[in-house]
Amino acid sequence: MFRIILLGVLAALFFSSTFVLNRAMSLEGGHWVWSASLRYFWMLAMLLGWLAATGKARLARESVALYLSHWVFWTVAGSIGFGVFYALITFSSVFAPGWVVAATWQTTILATPLVLLGFGRRVPLKALALTALIFAGVVLVNIEQATQTGLREVLLGALPVLVAAFAYPLGNQLVWEARRGEKTYLPAIDHPAMDDPFCRVLLLTLGSLPLWFALILFTAPPLPSMGQLAQTAVVAACSGVIATSLFLVARHTASSTAELAAADCTQSMEVVFSLVGEALLLGHVMPGLLGWLGIGLTMGGLTLYITVQSRS
């Protein structure tokens, strides 16, 4: 359990670059569609380059072949777990600071047990009840934000993140279930590429590409600036490749529902990392009393959640 939690926290550190840099690009006038889609275009190039440089070019080719042989599954899983999730997260950064988006994103801890229940997995009820503390913290953070901006900004900044909070664990759980091969309605994918975290990220990235092309065609955003190109490359490396791979290693190391939920709930640390990152890089002021109380409830709920899960 300790190794899973450590990997999850490290993933949260790198994931936090998403919230900070997406907010920075939004403040600089970059379109959210480019902030979202360019990350995955960069990720595709980085993943293929990394696999080739580490002597895994054959495994990369096999991953592409694996995608083509189950293209419907990978397109659904990638579009949900990477596409819908990140498009909504990036859209929210237009209306809310990164640390607020990160705090609201912690509702994924509530969403994860519901997703697990939807797949017929058991979830300890005591641990599930503790997610109420985390959700209460998220509510307090957004209440404080509403007093500083307005109801419209809070709704546009929070509601998309709530949907994204379900999309991310759903996409990842589809891959986990396919790897287990226990669900008749999903393909049983037993392949060496499924044991490599970079290959799993590559497969989900390939699956998300149709959604990104559709969004670009539908919104027709103005061309991105050089700064946006550079910043999305940093996000792709830190969050898309490093953090996602660490997180998937943690998740696929799990052998029980309790360990899966523990891996997912470590992402609460993104709030702290994002808050510090915005204060240092963007000069944002620290949250007020309600904001700190909300963060405290979120982190306290995380700690209790892991403790109960470990004893279950």
Side-chain angles (χ1 to χ4, degrees), residues 13-275:
L13 173 62
F14 286 99
F15 270 134
S16 65
S17 66
T18 292
F19 304 106
V20 177
L21 292 180
N22 279 349
R23 182 59 173 174
M25 287 184 280
S26 174
L27 294 175
E28 294 168 2
H31 198 284
W32 66 270
V33 168
W34 286 123
S35 296
S37 59
L38 283 172
R39 161 179 161 165
Y40 287 92
F41 297 151
W42 279 117
M43 278 176 59
L44 180 62
M46 291 176 182
L47 287 166
L48 291 174
W50 172 260
L51 291 171
T54 54
K56 297 181 179 179
R58 181 182 59 82
L59 198 55
R61 291 192 297 270
E62 291 178 356
S63 298
V64 174
L66 184 60
Y67 167 75
L68 294 175
S69 63
H70 298 286
W71 67 271
V72 173
F73 169 78
W74 288 112
T75 299
V76 170
S79 294
I80 295 173
F82 278 11
V84 172
F85 144 68
Y86 198 63
L88 294 176
I89 287 288
T90 311
F91 176 80
S92 294
S93 68
V94 178
F95 303 97
W99 73 269
V100 174
V101 175
T104 307
W105 166 245
Q106 302 317 310
T107 51
T108 193
I109 297 167
L110 174 61
T112 295
L114 299 178
V115 169
L116 292 172
L117 287 171
F119 282 96
R121 302 293 176 182
R122 296 182 61 187
V123 178
L125 293 180
K126 288 183 179 179
L128 184 59
L130 289 172
T131 61
L133 283 178
I134 299 167
F135 186 73
V138 169
V139 170
L140 289 179
V141 166
N142 281 278
I143 288 176
E144 181 179 271
Q145 182 67 10
T147 62
Q148 298 176 1
T149 56
L151 181 61
R152 176 179 177 274
E153 285 73 16
V154 168
L155 291 177
L156 290 175
L159 292 181
V161 183
L162 294 178
V163 177
F166 281 86
Y168 189 67
L170 176 56
N172 279 302
Q173 190 63 25
L174 284 169
V175 178
W176 194 83
E177 297 289 351
R179 190 172 179 230
R180 286 294 180 104
E182 299 173 357
K183 304 298 183 184
T184 57
Y185 53 86
L186 292 175
I189 306 178
D190 183 15
H191 189 279
M194 297 293 283
D195 298 323
D196 188 296
F198 289 100
C199 289
R200 290 196 296 271
V201 175
L202 174 61
L203 285 161
L204 287 169
T205 300
L206 289 169
S208 71
L209 294 182
L211 179 64
W212 299 127
F213 288 124
L215 269 177
I216 292 170
L217 290 174
F218 181 76
T219 60
L223 292 177
S225 65
M226 292 302 295
Q228 192 171 19
L229 285 169
Q231 289 180 82
T232 52
V234 173
V235 172
C238 291
S239 182
V241 177
I242 299 174
T244 303
S245 298
L246 285 171
F247 181 67
L248 289 181
V249 168
R251 218 170 184 278
H252 287 278
T253 300
S255 58
S256 66
T257 299
E259 291 181 344
L260 276 174
D264 289 334
C265 79
T266 57
Q267 301 314 289
S268 286
M269 289 297 296
E270 294 166 4
V271 183
V272 176
F273 295 138
S274 297
L275 182 61

Side-chain angles (χ1 to χ4, degrees), residues 133 137 290-302:
L133 283 178
L290 280 180
W292 282 117
L293 182 58
I295 292 172
L297 285 175
T298 299
M299 300 305 298
L302 165 67

